[in-house]
Structures are given as C-alpha cells and as structure tokens.
Amino acid sequence: MEKTLIILKPSAVQRSLIGEVIQRFEKKGLQVCGMKMMQLKNEILNEHYAHLAHLPFFQRIKDSMMASPVIVCCLQGKDAVRVVRSMAGVTNGRDAAPGTIRGDYSMSVQENIIHASDSVETAAIELKRFFKDEEIFEYAFNPMNFLYAGNEV
Ligand code: IDP
Ligand code: MG
C-alpha cells in the first residue's frame, strides 16, 4: 500500500494543532505507520528543501522549520500521496480552499501548517530521510479486535 510523509511544521506544533490535523487523516481512513517528534537541523533541511535553495528567502524558510520541534508522520493508504496532498491544499494558506488543512488553519505562504510529499518517488526518498526502517510499522488495522477483549464477545 502507498505511503507518504507529512511533517507538522512548527506552525502546527506551536498553535496546538497536532491533534486536529492528525485526526483529519485518521478520519479520512489513512493509517498512521510511523510518528515521532524531531528537532530539524540545517543539514536535513538543505536536502529536504533543495528545490528552494535558489530563493532569496531560503534561510528564512529553514529557520521557520527549525523554530520548534516538528512531528513527522508516515501515512499509508491507496493513493496516499495524492489524497494527502489534496487534503493539505495549495502552498499559500490564503489561497488554499476552505476544507483543506491549509485553507482552514493558515493565513500564510510560509507558516502553512503541514508538509506533504508531492509524488510517490519523492515520498519514498523523504520517508528514508526522516525515518529509520524500524520506525515504520506494518500492522493490521482491525478496530473490532480492540473494542472488546476476546472473552467479552
Ligand atoms: P509545498 O509545501 O506546497 O510543496 P514548496 O514549493 O515545495 O510548497 O515549498 C516548500 C515550503 O517552503 C512551503 O510549504 C512554504 O512553507 C515555503 N515556501 C514556498 N514558497 C514560499 C514563498 O514564496 N514565501 C515563503 N515561503 C515559501
Ligand atoms: Mg513541496
């Protein structure tokens, strides 16, 4: 099944939106396969945002990502990359459609709550960048087995 990376940026952590954002993905039906808090550093951001290195405000974008710990999360599901990107909304929070995460929680281009991998190829590279193999979990997703103990049904 397809996996993608999301990062809850400092703008999510500092505004106490971790739970709300993760809940949207859980309710949609995406499976959380890995999750941890990290303090990002310049080196990993140089890789992660290499496509922005030419921008005059590259350092400001990196500083914003280092301003507080972030939550990195692996989500799994059919077409997970496409589904998660569409739930995130376009980059600029002021342009993002209502109902998307950026559309509902962000007024900013930079402070836009969430990173989401933009292709299947990028997702594989980004998951390797932020997670060790043993930090990604393949597990059955079967809530019925956890509503009751075996001797209760
Ligand atoms: P994406 O996050 O929608 O994929 P990218 O173009 O990959 O957008 O840019 C990565 C991040 O860099 C954005 O999410 C945003 O935080 C920041 N960023 C991109 N363009 C600008 C800009 O013009 N001004 C300020 N920040 C920007
Ligand atoms: Mg991007």
Side-chain angles (χ1 to χ4, degrees):
M1 194 74 86
E2 194 167 292
K3 291 185 178 65
T4 192
L5 175 86
I6 60 166
I7 303 176
L8 302 187
K9 297 183 177 187
S11 49
V13 173
Q14 291 291 328
R15 291 177 52 204
S16 304
L17 294 172
I18 298 168
E20 275 190 54
V21 173
I22 295 294
Q23 186 179 49
R24 286 185 176 223
F25 294 118
E26 286 190 298
K27 284 185 170 172
K28 176 70 173 170
L30 288 144
Q31 184 182 18
V32 176
C33 288
M35 191 187 297
K36 63 181 176 180
M37 183 170 264
M38 288 178 82
Q39 175 60 53
L40 300 182
K41 300 270 166 56
N42 200 51
E43 193 179 1
I44 199 167
L45 288 166
N46 279 338
E47 273 184 33
H48 184 64
Y49 282 148
H51 62 292
L52 305 176
H54 62 284
L55 296 176
F57 42 88
F58 183 48
Q59 189 61 47
R60 197 184 67 204
I61 293 173
K62 290 191 294 177
D63 286 343
S64 140
M65 293 295 283
M66 296 188 280
S68 110
V70 299
I71 304 289
V72 294
C73 183
C74 172
L75 298 174
Q76 175 169 275
K78 192 170 166 63
D79 300 323
V81 171
R82 181 164 58 80
V83 170
V84 169
R85 277 292 278 196
S86 76
M87 289 175 71
V90 298
T91 307
N92 185 339
R94 295 190 297 279
D95 295 332
T100 65
I101 290 164
R102 288 164 169 174
D104 286 353
Y105 299 117
S106 172
M107 283 290 285
S108 169
V109 190
Q110 179 178 284
E111 302 302 322
N112 59 2
I113 311 296
I114 188 171
H115 166 80
S117 303
D118 62 8
S119 72
V120 175
E121 297 70 34
T122 312
I125 294 166
E126 292 184 344
L127 284 166
K128 283 253 177 264
R129 180 174 297 141
F130 290 97
F131 286 99
K132 300 184 184 117
D133 286 350
E134 65 268 27
E135 292 173 330
I136 302 291
F137 298 87
E138 299 288 344
Y139 61 98
F141 206 33
N142 192 349
M144 248 335 257
N145 292 349
F146 297 88
L147 283 173
Y148 303 100
N151 66 348
E152 288 178 303
V153 286

